[in-house]
Amino acid sequence: MSQEEKAMEAIKDALRALRKRHRLEEGAHGPAISALSRPLISQGSEWKEKTEKLEIELQQCYKAQSRLSEQLVIEVAESRTSKASLEEKEVLINDLQEELTQTREECTRLQEELEEKTRTLDLLIAENKEARSQLEQMTDRAQKAESENKMLIDRWMLQKMQDAERLNEANALYEEMLAKLKANGLENLARQQVDGIVRRNEDGTDHFVESTIPSTCGHRIHAHEGGCGSILFEYNSGTLFTGGQDRAVKMWDTNSGSLIKSLHGSIGNILDLAITHDNKSLIAASSSNNLFVWDVNSGRVRHTLTGHTDKVCAVDVSKLSSRHVVSAAYDRTIKLWDLQKGYCTNTVLFASNCNAICLSIDGLTVFSGHMDGNLRLWDIQTGKLLSEVAGHSSAVTSVSLSRNGNRILTSGRDNLHNVFDTRTLEICGTLRASGNRLASNWSRSCISPDDDYVAAGSADGTVHVWSISKGNIVSVLKEQTSPILCCSWSGIGKPLASADKNGYVCTWT
């Protein structure tokens, strides 16, 4: 019970006591009571008003107490929630402190490992420096040993060359003696001054072969897997040699289109072919920086000519001798080889890469076509540059000599085919066609055996044939669909052969 209630009860008790006392003393104190009743009544009304006010205030206090109770409940609940959250955070803090302790321990351990590895690395660096110094010393020793070894090899090779020269001189003397003995029972043969294609018939007389303008595809042969970059006919024969990216050289009968034999042994793509005038040895230029020489009859490799330091892109053989071969490579050198000795006898250096070469009839001059568009003439014995002609605005891709040696054909990436007089180096004619576009830096064109026609392949798979004298196109051959890489004309006047980038060869008659 609150103080106000207790006060109200006390007031009520007092009033009751007063009323009782009033009733007892009313009779004796009537006048006095009547005199006093008026102030008491007015005072009671004031007390009543105060009582009502107090009750109203009490009700408000109850309401406030209720609100405070609700708020207290909410705050108690929030306090409990906060206490639980605080406990969780304390647990989390403890976990984090433990994790931090472990991390510090791990960091200390890693720092110790790092220091240890740093010491190990310093030790290795010191050992590496020592090993490098030892390596430099060993390299110097090796270079000295290599130079001494090279000097010994050069001396040994020189001795071998001298021995080979003496042996060749003895063999030549022996052969000369045999020839003189045989000449006693044989008729003397006059030298043949070749001014075209010359064949000997059964009666022993010579006659010139006329080339026919090709118009019909005789055979379409899938010769190689990959591109066929070089084709070549035997001298005065219809037998065709082809070389391709499958590293093989194949021999074909163009009359039947059948394969005669395959020559293996090259370790690189075949980029060019040449054959000796006696049809006994076939030479191939290879992307493996070597030249390979096969015996045509046996199909075996006779020589592997090494000395170039980049891919060998062109090769040719002397028309008079089966002994001398020239080759050009992307190491910017032309080399002269002796097939009897099996090694290089001379080297010519030049500034622009050479794409094609051919030897003159006498075998003393080399014609070379270069990436800068120039045709150059070299003395193969001395290595001296004899002459230089700016024949094309782009790279020269092909150089072909006529059978009489009086004309030379050059083809270039400017899609022009120029015919030069070898004696004056003046252009006799320029051949072109709107649809004739050379497919590569090694696209080979050719001159017919009677020196009347020129054949060249195009990137669209066609072969164009021009008349040299008239300068016009006499035939357009279309059978292949991929770019034509090379053309070759048989020495007997027909057929003409063309090879494309897919390895197919077509013969045209």
Side-chain angles (χ1 to χ4, degrees), residues 46-278:
E46 291 177 2
W47 288 346
K48 186 176 180 181
E49 290 177 358
K50 288 182 181 180
T51 303
E52 289 177 354
K53 289 181 180 179
L54 290 173
E55 287 180 353
I56 292 171
E57 290 178 0
L58 182 60
Q59 290 178 0
Q60 291 177 354
C61 288
Y62 286 153
K63 291 180 180 179
Q65 183 181 8
S66 176
R67 287 195 300 271
L68 289 174
S69 298
E70 292 177 356
Q71 187 175 358
L72 179 61
V73 171
I74 294 172
E75 290 180 355
V76 168
E78 291 179 353
S79 175
R80 290 176 180 174
T81 305
S82 299
K83 186 176 181 181
S85 177
L86 180 61
E87 291 176 353
E88 292 178 356
K89 290 182 179 179
E90 287 179 352
V91 173
L92 181 60
I93 289 172
N94 293 332
D95 294 339
L96 290 175
Q97 287 179 347
E98 293 178 357
E99 186 176 352
L100 178 60
T101 303
Q102 294 176 357
T103 303
R104 285 177 178 173
E105 294 176 354
E106 182 71 16
C107 181
T108 304
R109 185 180 62 80
L110 291 175
Q111 190 172 2
E112 292 175 355
E113 291 182 359
L114 177 62
E115 292 176 355
E116 183 180 357
K117 290 183 179 179
T118 302
R119 291 192 294 269
T120 306
L121 180 61
D122 293 337
L123 180 60
L124 290 175
I125 290 173
E127 292 178 354
N128 186 27
K129 289 181 179 178
E130 184 178 358
R132 281 186 177 180
S133 63
Q134 293 178 0
L135 177 62
E136 290 176 356
Q137 295 175 1
M138 295 297 293
T139 302
D140 293 338
R141 293 179 183 175
Q143 289 177 351
K144 292 179 182 179
E146 185 178 357
S147 62
E148 293 175 358
N149 186 31
K150 186 176 180 181
M151 182 177 64
L152 291 174
I153 290 175
D154 291 340
R155 292 171 59 185
W156 180 74
M157 288 296 295
L158 180 61
Q159 185 65 36
K160 287 293 183 182
M161 290 172 62
Q162 293 174 354
D163 293 342
E165 288 290 345
R166 287 194 291 269
L167 181 61
N168 290 331
E169 290 175 0
N171 290 335
L173 181 61
Y174 177 72
E175 291 177 357
E176 185 179 357
M177 292 175 62
L178 288 179
K180 288 180 178 180
L181 290 174
K182 290 180 180 179
N184 293 330
L186 298 175
E187 295 182 355
N188 293 326
L189 300 177
R191 291 185 178 180
Q192 300 175 2
Q193 177 64 39
V194 181
D195 191 21
I197 309 302
V198 180
R199 288 194 304 167
R200 185 171 301 279
N201 62 14
E202 295 179 356
D203 298 330
T205 59
D206 295 335
H207 66 276
F208 296 95
V209 176
E210 242 183 68
S211 301
T212 59
I213 299 174
S215 59
T216 305
C217 178
H219 300 284
R220 186 171 184 267
I221 306 166
H222 189 199
H224 297 274
E225 296 297 331
C228 180
S230 181
I231 55 178
L232 176 72
F233 281 96
E234 279 188 335
Y235 279 101
N236 300 328
S237 169
T239 301
L240 179 69
F241 292 94
T242 63
Q245 292 184 4
D246 55 5
R247 305 178 181 180
V249 176
K250 297 183 180 181
M251 189 173 178
W252 305 88
D253 183 349
T254 55
N255 293 323
S256 62
S258 59
L259 177 65
I260 299 174
K261 66 173 64 174
S262 295
L263 307 178
H264 299 283
S266 172
I267 57 176
N269 299 340
I270 305 300
L271 302 182
D272 199 13
L273 293 172
I275 192 168
T276 56
H277 74 284
D278 57 6

